[in-house]
Amino acid sequence: MRHELQAIVGIDHVRAPGAADLADATEWSGLRGRADAVVLPGSPEEVAAVVAWCYEHDVPITPRGGGTGWAGGAVPDGGVVLGLERLTRVRRVDPAWWRMEVDAGVTTATVARRAREEGLYYPVDPGAAESSHIGGNLATNAGGPHALKHGVTRSWAMGLDVVLAPGERVRLGGPVRKDVAGYDLVSLLVGSEGTLGVICGAWLRLVPAPEASSSIAVACESAKAAAAAMERALTCGIVPAALEYLDDGAVAAASAGAPLFVPPGGVLLLADVEGDPVQVARDHDTLREALEGGDGVLAVAEFAARTDRETLWRWRDGIGLAVIAQRGGKLSEDLAVPVDRLAEAIDETQVIGVRHGLDACSWGHAGDGNLHSTFLLDAADPAQRAKADAAAQDLFALARRLGGTVSGEHGIGRLKAGQLREQWAPAAVAAHEAVKRALDPKGLLNPGVKRP
Amino acid sequence: MRHELQAIVGIDHVRAPGAADLADATEWSGLRGRADAVVLPGSPEEVAAVVAWCYEHDVPITPRGGGTGWAGGAVPDGGVVLGLERLTRVRRVDPAWWRMEVDAGVTTATVARRAREEGLYYPVDPGAAESSHIGGNLATNAGGPHALKHGVTRSWAMGLDVVLAPGERVRLGGPVRKDVAGYDLVSLLVGSEGTLGVICGAWLRLVPAPEASSSIAVACESAKAAAAAMERALTCGIVPAALEYLDDGAVAAASAGAPLFVPPGGVLLLADVEGDPVQVARDHDTLREALEGGDGVLAVAEFAARTDRETLWRWRDGIGLAVIAQRGGKLSEDLAVPVDRLAEAIDETQVIGVRHGLDACSWGHAGDGNLHSTFLLDAADPAQRAKADAAAQDLFALARRLGGTVSGEHGIGRLKAGQLREQWAPAAVAAHEAVKRALDPKGLLNPGVKRP
């Protein structure tokens, strides 16, 4: 196998898998895969040739971006790991026309930085921006705090440069802001976790960068009080750019940099506003009044200066790692529920933890109803892992009971295989499976991932 | 057939097709279909039962909303017209949570009005809002002027209540703002023109309504001057809510209410800004300075008062009918091109008209690069229709040459059948067709529509 793949990508770009190729961010919950080879194509044409060779020889393909996923979607189960890390070119930036074309292996941070350099804004901000690839963001339809105002990755993808089975490179969409000529295969590929095609590049939409922004942190005595504050924020007439929450356990895990103290059972809310300076000042005041104007609000902190605000959001971005640092491991599920059920989901996460004898905490994208419900694990203790797996089933049932979904932004990956079948009607699951068979008849694209 | 369908939907809700059931807005270009019966189910369950009966008996199904489409997507070719007009319930409005659940047969105007009544905003504004149905907007992924800032219908659909072949009602998504559990079948169904399923209802996302808005009209001496003004507008740092254009022919067709005179060869730009009053005043001034600060700008008019602005946009909304009124008919294609190629597309539309001996004009969503390139027709003259069909082929070739698409918002329908094959690579067309076969194996859902 290696010789034939080396003939396609060059002798230096096929290697035996190392530990880092067989895991993603879920390694903290113990997931590790296996593979026969790692192949690193240097161009979309080489990606197509690798896929064609694999498809002809019935070799499974696991596409891999930055390896920062939280669902095991880049963890291989035999066959070839197809890494996109050599595709790192920013192909084109058209500042006047609010768009950029990039290779799949460009990091999320690079996309954001190049946009900023031109006075533009790529607002999607999933965590791990310095290591995650835009290709992986597209494959998982990544979200993040600012999805509240700006939407998830799908909202920003105008076109894809993608390799479809059995190894054909095609362009879907392009530098065009509207296109209904064919079925929306761009949206279908986005979020498909590498199971319908291999994304090699994309045309991204951008917007003029907001000139100013400012943030507010509010400590509330309970999830219920936080939900009430959030309702006031959502009905005060403005659109916050982000509206996040952290429960007391999540805040405690990163207490050193925490903006406010949160007592047991309490919840911290973080809100962000963006716009021109005058607008931001007004929105900030409106939002602060709304957030603090009710029962159960313990304290308010404001972050108007740019560096203070950046420090706050860096702290927020580090919560996942801070929680892992508590015990060496965690199992985290990214439920999304109707926003009006958020308080219930926060409280129930704690109840489920107690039921299974696990320390639980949660944080996430409050305005989108998207939680990261998490159990702390001692990575060296397999019994805890088993408990956490059982507790995760309760979380999935909770999401369904509240009318939500088992995944708001991480995807099904390997870890949630089988959950879609519990959530969707049989005919919808059949449609999901029919689409998979239609675009990957041999089932070689990331097999075992996003299985209903 | 009628008796069996009457057993499902009731004796009063199956009838012989009338002229109005066999055409849509394309009747001005001469398209008219045929059907065996019109069936009007009273509930999603009845829709499912009708689809199941048709699927079992190999009867084609043409779903029909308000019949305001511009591509013949609701023009039947035998079988059953499945009208959604009895599904008119606004199922639920949750103002605090920025969402609404509606039946497919609710008009676009009703959606917008109910949102406004709660201080919220449904910003998608395709034409014919009083008669078009939200189900049809979803089926075509309708756009409109304010898509520049707010995106097209797909951006606002969180969940669908849909009947899939062979007659199963399922829920995809729901009152949840983020969901990556399954493939994005919501986006796949949106824009599929009734060829993959029948949309019976939807959960729509809303946002707080902007308090203020104001508009600017700018007359430019040429398409090139208008494109330069547009570039200045897109690089002045603000995001206009809408940025439209009309060439001299389009303005002349509705000259009575026109905001400014546009000389031969000239182009009128219309820009809209939204926000809170202070923000709007600032953005308005910034945008006006940008628009007028260059060569070839002939005149500027401002519309700050609410009624003046509304009058302007009502005038804009009526352009399509005003153009038809010139000769009794038109053929109009909704090309979308990269925004930087807009001036070329405007000028080329004229050149193509001259080449085929037809009067041409165009208008559309400048900021999205989306034109309505139009030839005036005498409805009673079949020779003109033949000329226009030939000219349309030149328009499609133009869209491809400029790196654009043959349809930005109207869809392929019947009128553009076969065009996708010219635009996409064979493997992409194969994927489009494989998706169709996967979800409609018998090919009974709107056959003849959206064919590549």
Side-chain angles (χ1 to χ4, degrees):
Chain A
M1 177 192 289
R2 294 212 192 141
H3 287 298
E4 285 162 291
L5 293 169
Q6 280 171 333
I8 298 170
V9 300
I11 194 161
D12 296 337
H13 303 303
V14 180
R15 55 175 167 76
D21 303 309
L22 302 176
D24 63 8
T26 56
E27 82 175 298
W28 307 107
S29 68
L31 191 67
R32 187 167 288 278
R34 60 186 184 85
D36 302 315
V38 176
V39 186
L40 304 172
S43 68
E45 291 78 10
E46 288 186 7
V47 173
V50 169
V51 170
W53 186 90
C54 290
Y55 227 76
E56 193 185 333
H57 294 86
D58 293 317
V59 173
I61 302 152
T62 300
R64 186 180 180 86
T68 57
W70 284 107
V75 175
D77 185 20
V80 156
V81 172
L82 197 166
L84 283 308
E85 65 193 54
R86 291 177 62 213
L87 304 187
T88 58
R89 204 158 54 93
V90 174
R91 298 181 188 176
R92 187 167 160 169
V93 187
D94 291 331
W97 314 117
W98 302 0
R99 68 193 187 206
M100 180 190 296
E101 188 185 18
V102 291
D103 279 355
V106 172
T107 65
T108 317
T110 301
V111 169
R113 197 156 42 228
R114 287 299 304 273
R116 281 280 177 183
E117 286 167 7
E118 304 288 353
L120 295 170
Y121 186 29
Y122 178 74
V124 191
D125 57 345
E130 293 293 346
S131 31
S132 82
H133 293 180
I134 192 73
N137 291 176
L138 290 158
T140 56
N141 195 13
H146 288 76
L148 176 65
K149 178 170 182 177
H150 300 289
V152 291
T153 304
R154 191 188 74 219
S155 309
W156 299 87
M158 297 193 295
L160 294 180
D161 177 359
V162 63
V163 171
L164 301 177
E168 298 273 357
R169 180 187 182 194
V170 303
R171 300 285 190 141
L172 301 170
V176 178
R177 296 171 56 92
K178 294 164 77 179
D179 184 4
V180 292
Y183 293 134
D184 187 357
L185 301 186
V186 172
S187 292
L188 185 64
L189 267 291
V190 171
S192 69
E193 304 184 46
T195 65
L196 301 179
V198 181
I199 294 170
C200 300
W203 274 103
L204 301 174
R205 196 165 65 81
L206 305 168
V207 279
E211 282 174 63
S213 51
S214 89
S215 302
I216 305 167
V218 180
C220 302
E221 66 181 16
S222 65
K224 201 174 153 195
M230 191 171 86
E231 182 168 354
R232 295 192 299 274
L234 294 177
T235 51
C236 73
I238 73 155
V239 182
L243 190 51
E244 300 279 300
Y245 87 95
L246 302 93
D247 76 1
D248 58 310
V251 175
S255 57
L260 288 170
F261 170 74
V262 177
V267 164
L268 181 70
L269 288 177
L270 304 179
D272 197 38
V273 292
E274 295 172 341
D276 83 5
V278 175
Q279 175 79 42
V280 163
R282 291 162 50 95
D283 284 356
H284 180 102
D285 291 345
T286 305
L287 195 57
R288 194 199 56 223
E289 274 177 42
L291 285 166
E292 71 188 0
D295 292 339
V297 174
L298 304 173
V300 176
E302 302 180 80
F303 303 83
R306 189 171 61 82
T307 51
D308 292 349
R309 176 184 169 273
E310 286 173 2
T311 303
L312 175 73
W313 289 97
R314 248 198 318 277
W315 174 79
R316 161 63 189 89
D317 191 36
I319 292 298
L321 292 178
V323 168
I324 288 170
Q326 298 289 294
R327 301 277 174 80
K330 69 165 175 155
L331 185 145
S332 195
E333 302 296 350
D334 64 316
L335 317 180
V337 299
V339 192
D340 43 320
R341 311 305 291 271
L342 182 69
E344 212 172 331
I346 294 172
D347 285 341
E348 275 289 316
T349 296
Q350 290 293 341
V351 171
I352 291 169
V354 169
R355 187 155 68 229
H356 291 272
L358 293 165
D359 284 336
C361 65
S362 74
W363 67 94
H365 315 305
D368 279 329
N370 188 189
L371 303 86
H372 299 309
S373 293
T374 301
F375 306 114
L376 305 186
L377 302 179
D378 178 343
D381 180 354
Q384 286 201 349
R385 169 70 211 215
K387 279 188 201 176
D389 283 342
Q393 298 299 318
D394 287 0
L395 287 178
F396 300 146
L398 170 68
R400 289 192 293 270
R401 181 167 67 75
L402 298 179
T405 174
V406 297
S407 183
E409 58 181 16
H410 296 164
I412 293 295
R414 294 192 178 283
L415 286 182
K416 285 179 234 176
Q419 287 303 321
L420 188 64
R421 201 173 294 280
E422 306 292 322
Q423 183 171 316
W424 280 12
V429 173
H432 175 102
E433 291 181 313
V435 166
K436 167 70 174 176
R437 278 195 306 274
L439 295 193
D440 179 22
K442 284 188 164 188
L444 294 174
L445 294 173
N446 222 356
V449 166
K450 215 170 182 84
R451 279 174 46 204
Chain B
M1 176 193 288
R2 293 210 192 141
H3 288 298
E4 287 162 290
L5 292 169
Q6 281 170 335
I8 298 170
V9 301
I11 194 161
D12 295 338
H13 303 304
V14 180
R15 57 175 167 76
D21 303 309
L22 302 176
D24 63 8
T26 56
E27 82 176 297
W28 307 107
S29 68
L31 190 66
R32 186 167 289 277
R34 60 185 184 87
D36 302 314
V38 176
V39 185
L40 305 172
S43 67
E45 292 79 10
E46 288 185 7
V47 173
V50 169
V51 170
W53 186 89
C54 290
Y55 227 76
E56 194 186 333
H57 295 86
D58 292 318
V59 173
I61 301 152
T62 301
R64 185 179 180 88
T68 57
W70 284 106
V75 175
D77 185 20
V80 155
V81 171
L82 197 167
L84 283 309
E85 65 193 54
R86 291 178 62 213
L87 304 187
T88 57
R89 206 158 53 92
V90 175
R91 299 181 187 176
R92 186 167 162 170
V93 187
D94 291 330
W97 313 117
W98 302 1
R99 69 193 186 205
M100 181 191 295
E101 189 186 17
V102 290
D103 279 354
V106 172
T107 64
T108 317
T110 301
V111 169
R113 197 155 43 227
R114 286 300 304 272
R116 280 280 177 184
E117 286 168 7
E118 304 289 353
L120 295 170
Y121 186 29
Y122 178 74
V124 190
D125 58 345
E130 294 293 345
S131 33
S132 82
H133 293 181
I134 192 72
N137 292 174
L138 289 158
T140 55
N141 195 13
H146 288 77
L148 177 65
K149 178 171 182 179
H150 299 289
V152 290
T153 304
R154 190 187 75 219
S155 309
W156 299 86
M158 297 193 295
L160 295 180
D161 177 358
V162 63
V163 171
L164 301 176
E168 298 273 359
R169 180 186 181 194
V170 302
R171 301 284 191 142
L172 302 170
V176 177
R177 295 171 57 92
K178 294 164 76 179
D179 183 4
V180 292
Y183 293 134
D184 188 357
L185 301 186
V186 171
S187 292
L188 185 64
L189 266 292
V190 171
S192 68
E193 303 184 46
T195 65
L196 301 179
V198 181
I199 294 170
C200 300
W203 273 104
L204 301 174
R205 195 164 66 80
L206 306 168
V207 280
E211 283 174 62
S213 51
S214 88
S215 301
I216 304 166
V218 180
C220 302
E221 66 180 18
S222 65
K224 199 173 154 197
M230 191 171 86
E231 181 169 355
R232 295 192 300 274
L234 294 177
T235 51
C236 74
I238 73 155
V239 182
L243 190 50
E244 301 280 299
Y245 87 95
L246 302 92
D247 76 1
D248 60 309
V251 175
S255 58
L260 289 169
F261 170 75
V262 177
V267 163
L268 181 70
L269 287 177
L270 304 179
D272 197 37
V273 292
E274 296 172 341
D276 82 7
V278 175
Q279 176 79 43
V280 164
R282 291 162 50 95
D283 284 357
H284 180 103
D285 291 346
T286 304
L287 195 57
R288 194 198 58 221
E289 274 176 42
L291 285 165
E292 71 187 359
D295 291 339
V297 174
L298 304 173
V300 175
E302 302 180 78
F303 303 83
R306 190 170 60 82
T307 51
D308 292 349
R309 176 184 169 273
E310 285 173 2
T311 302
L312 175 73
W313 288 97
R314 249 198 317 278
W315 174 78
R316 161 65 189 89
D317 191 36
I319 291 299
L321 292 179
V323 168
I324 288 171
Q326 298 289 293
R327 301 276 173 81
K330 68 165 176 154
L331 185 144
S332 194
E333 302 296 349
D334 63 316
L335 317 180
V337 299
V339 190
D340 43 319
R341 311 304 292 272
L342 183 69
E344 213 172 331
I346 295 171
D347 286 340
E348 275 291 315
T349 297
Q350 291 293 341
V351 170
I352 291 169
V354 169
R355 188 154 67 227
H356 292 272
L358 293 164
D359 283 337
C361 65
S362 74
W363 69 94
H365 316 305
D368 280 329
N370 188 189
L371 304 85
H372 299 308
S373 293
T374 301
F375 305 114
L376 305 186
L377 303 180
D378 179 342
D381 180 354
Q384 286 201 349
R385 167 71 211 213
K387 279 187 201 174
D389 284 342
Q393 298 299 317
D394 287 0
L395 287 178
F396 300 145
L398 170 68
R400 290 192 294 269
R401 181 168 66 76
L402 299 179
T405 174
V406 297
S407 183
E409 57 182 18
H410 295 165
I412 293 293
R414 294 192 177 283
L415 285 183
K416 286 177 232 175
Q419 288 303 322
L420 188 64
R421 202 175 292 282
E422 306 292 321
Q423 184 171 314
W424 280 11
V429 173
H432 175 102
E433 291 182 311
V435 166
K436 168 70 174 175
R437 278 193 307 273
L439 296 192
D440 179 21
K442 283 189 164 187
L444 294 173
L445 295 173
N446 223 357
V449 167
K450 215 168 182 85
R451 280 175 44 205

